[in-house]
Amino acid sequence: MTSFVARTSRLAAAIVLPFAFGACAWFTDFKNQPRIEPWEPMSQNDADSLIPPRGNPQFSVPVQGTAVAGYQISYAPLPPVIDSFSAIPNPHPVTEASLANGRLNYQINCAVCHGMAGDANGGLKKVNPAYGFAPSLLAPSALGRTDGYLYGIMRNGRGIMPSYNRIEEADRWDVINYVRALQGTTALKADTLLAGYPGQNGTTVPGPTLTAPNVPSRYLHPTQLPTPGSSGINSATFKGNNDNDTMRKLHGAPHSEKAPAGETSKAGTPAASQEKH
C-alpha cells in the first residue's frame, strides 16, 4: 500500500510540477530570454529622442543594405540636404554589367526628360518644347557633381524633379555609372540604343526586386516561342512598329532593325515590307 501511495505521489508531482513552474514569470528557457528584438531601438524609453533606432545593418536585409539611413539624412528635396550627400562614395565599380543595368533603369526613368544621350533632348521635350526644363547631364555643372550628390538627387528629388527612390539603391549606383559613361568620363562607352519599347519585358527591363520581403524565383525561360495558333507574333516578338508608335518615331528604331533599301532582313523579307505589320 505504501509503495502504491509513493508511486502515485511521484506521478502526481510529475504531472503538476511542469504546470506550476510554467506559470511562474521567472521560469525561462534559452529560446525566451531578455534580448533586443530585430529593429528594436536600444533605448527602451519611448520618450527617448536622443538615441535613434537601429538603422538597417550594412549588407543585411534588404540584401544590399543602404548607404545612408533616413535618420542620418532626411528625404527633404532641399538643396542643403542634397549637398550633404556629396561625400558618400559610389560602392559600384564601372563594369559592363553595371552599365547594362544602369542603362535599363536610365531609359525607363530618366531618358524621357534628360534624353537618351543625356543632352536634355528627351521625348517629353520633343512632344512639347515647353517641357524642356530638364538640365543636360553633359553640362559642366553636372560633370562637377559627385556620385553621392547624384545619388541624393535620385533618392530625394530636387526642385521640379520628383524623388526616384522607386529605383532600388543598387540600381541607382548603376544609373550613376551609366551617366558617367554618357559624360565620357569612364573607360567604357555608354550604349544609347533603345533597349526596348513600351510593353516589352524580359531582358528589356531590370530584374526582380532585391528589397522586397520575397525575391521571385530566378527562373529563366530558355527561349521565347510564339503563342500557339498565332502567326508568329506575340508579346515577346512584336516590335510595335506601326504608324501610331509615337515613342518609336521619337527615338528611332535600333540599328539592328534597319536594313538598307533593297536588302532582305533575317526573316527573308524585303526591308520595306517590314515597316508595317
Side-chain angles (χ1 to χ4, degrees), residues 113-114 118-120 133-137 141:
C113 291
H114 292 286
D119 56 1
F133 41 71
S136 171
L137 300 177
S141 58

Side-chain angles (χ1 to χ4, degrees), residues 77 109-110 113-114 133-135 137 150-165 167:
N109 299 281
C110 314
C113 291
H114 292 286
F133 41 71
L137 300 177
L150 298 180
Y151 163 86
I153 284 285
M154 284 186 281
R155 178 183 182 268
N156 289 24
R158 178 178 175 178
I160 198 171
M161 175 179 168
S163 168
Y164 276 83
N165 200 35
I167 306 176

Side-chain angles (χ1 to χ4, degrees), residues 38-90:
W39 319 124
E40 184 180 5
M42 298 184 66
S43 174
Q44 300 302 298
N45 181 6
D46 294 336
D48 188 350
S49 60
L50 299 179
I51 301 178
R54 294 189 301 162
N56 186 18
Q58 191 77 358
F59 306 118
S60 68
V61 179
V63 175
Q64 77 281 13
T66 182
V68 56
Y71 68 84
Q72 293 174 292
I73 300 181
S74 74
Y75 283 84
L78 303 174
V81 178
I82 307 301
D83 290 337
S84 62
F85 285 94
S86 297
I88 299 178
N90 187 342

Side-chain angles (χ1 to χ4, degrees), residues 122-146:
L124 196 60
K125 181 179 179 180
K126 294 178 181 179
V127 170
N128 188 339
Y131 296 150
F133 41 71
S136 171
L137 300 177
L138 310 181
S141 58
L143 286 166
R145 298 296 188 182
T146 66

